[in-house]
Amino acid sequence: MNYKYDDKGMMKNFIDGDKINYLIKNSNEPDLKELTDILEKSFSVCDALNIEEVARLMAVKSRDKWELVFSYAEKIKKKVYDNRIVVFAPLYASNICVNNCLYCGFRSQNKEAVRRTLSMEEIKKEAEVLAGEIGHKRLIFVVGEHPRTGAEYIAGALRTIYSVKVERKNRINNIRRVNINAAPMSVGDLKIIKEAGIGTYQVFQETYDKNLYLKLHPQNTPKSDFEYRLYSHHRAFEAGIDDVAIGALFGLGDWRFEVLGLVCHAKELEKVFGVGPHTVSFPRLEKASNSAYDGVKISDEDFKKIVALLRVSIPYSGLIVTCREKPETIRSVIPFCTQRDASTKIGIGAYSERYSEQALKKQQFELGDTRSLEEIIGELADMGYITSFCTAGYRCARTGDHIMKMLKSGRESKFCKLNAVLTFKEWIEDFANSDIKKKCEKLIMKEIKEILSEDRRFSIDMKKMFFSYYQKIAEGERDLCF
Ligand code: SAM
Ligand code: SF4
């Protein structure tokens, strides 16, 4: 069978670099009325803004106007996703790579890297720690690009991880959703990993500036094909995967270009498939061992602007901040975000082998936040955010264009809240120690009061069902969701 987006002829670069550069240079700072109009449009319609509008937002100079952008970013997050933060952990399974991305510790020319690929048995051990000791329900599985870690390996890993069941306090704990961050693949290969139960397929374009892209990804490597990577998500949709995630690596070039590139990418997916990205990532370049590219520094102040701009520009997408960042940086952007990782280790085999010297040598870059899930949950609770272990979307058919309508209308936020409370309750029952338990229970009571008081958002039937689920979870039943 011939697939449309396997065909090179179909892959035209839809990122208009000249237009983006023109807008960055020539967009005027909006006055207060113009600024409010753009932000209000984002808040009320929840459609992606056009790049002319985003470029105007980027031209904002005054502190007061930026504060207004930040306050809308927070409001939009709350409207679409409520006050929950979904947590996950990365599982780095292999650092062998045929590419030579100048900025990455896994690149083939980094002769100092200690290479390793986990066997299925070792992947199982990692999943056992993540599900059984820490209490994670959602993972992102990460591999370099190599024939040994292609679709069959990834599909095997998915099956292995889903098969792990760890008993704790007489209850079974397991990983319920595995997302993948891996190289671009053909439609046939993507079908193999779809079949094995992939959650979201995540590929970052790194930079949307094609000239810079070609400099950072040497010509004799597969990753040098800018368009093949740009169409990764098109092929995923063709393969039947309806949750895709985009991202750019900030610090390779001009951050303004990347924000506009991400917006163009989201709008392209909406135009062709009627569905935008499930999530958008904005990793910032970290110092990697033996890196051959220093990049450009993105200040914490600009980083906050980037995240807020993405929030208002693509209001319906989840935004993921990671432990690459320091705790204080994460705290400054978390009001705009929907997901973060916790208890993160990025060495190959690092969860089951703990922090061994060997594991550290196999990691891609240095982490900014190495705190435990428990510490992070406590901090989020202090900030008024409920930690969610929800994996419901995919299994309850709230995916693809259906979820887009729910998100844009703000209707998804009620499910986000109910599922956050239910999955948080599960974690408290199964994993919280007595110190943190009190704090978590207090937060749950506050959330329940809110659910009870909001008759417009939560129908009587919904409330009844919620309390019945809540009761069953307290009695030991698991995996009940809306
Ligand atoms: N090999 C696959 C690829 O390149 O798409 C997936 C794995 S790669 C380890 C995942 C992501 O790590 C890349 O897409 C890139 O954005 C990010 N990354 C690479 N080097 C990095 C660095 N030095 N600092 C922060 N993130 C980095
Ligand atoms: Fe390999 Fe991905 Fe690192 Fe590039 S970014 S060297 S493709 S692991």
Side-chain angles (χ1 to χ4, degrees), residues 157-174:
L158 286 173
R159 283 190 286 269
T160 302
I161 295 167
Y162 287 130
S163 74
V164 167
K165 310 257 183 274
V166 189
E167 203 182 316
R168 191 183 159 105
K169 296 188 185 167
N170 292 326
R171 285 164 208 140
I172 297 298
N173 287 285
N174 62 331

Side-chain angles (χ1 to χ4, degrees), residues 97 99-101 103-104 106-107 143-145 206 223 364:
C97 192
N99 290 308
N100 193 26
C101 314
Y103 47 82
C104 179
F106 291 175
R107 69 196 175 91
V143 285
E145 180 168 2
E206 319 300 11
K223 194 157 166 180
Q364 192 193 8

Side-chain angles (χ1 to χ4, degrees), residues 92 97 103-106 142-145 181-184 203-204 206 223 229 249 283-288 324 364-365:
Y92 277 67
C97 192
Y103 47 82
C104 179
F106 291 175
V142 186
V143 285
E145 180 168 2
N181 183 311
V203 177
F204 303 153
E206 319 300 11
K223 194 157 166 180
R229 193 164 182 92
L249 184 52
R284 199 161 37 159
L285 189 66
E286 296 294 331
K287 203 170 150 328
R324 286 177 178 86
Q364 192 193 8
F365 47 77

Side-chain angles (χ1 to χ4, degrees), residues 231-261:
Y231 278 77
S232 300
H233 314 82
H234 289 61
R235 287 189 298 279
F237 276 122
E238 228 183 329
I241 297 171
D242 49 13
D243 272 351
V244 298
I246 62 174
L249 184 52
F250 282 86
L252 295 180
D254 180 357
W255 65 262
R256 292 171 180 82
F257 198 109
E258 308 309 352
V259 170
L260 294 177

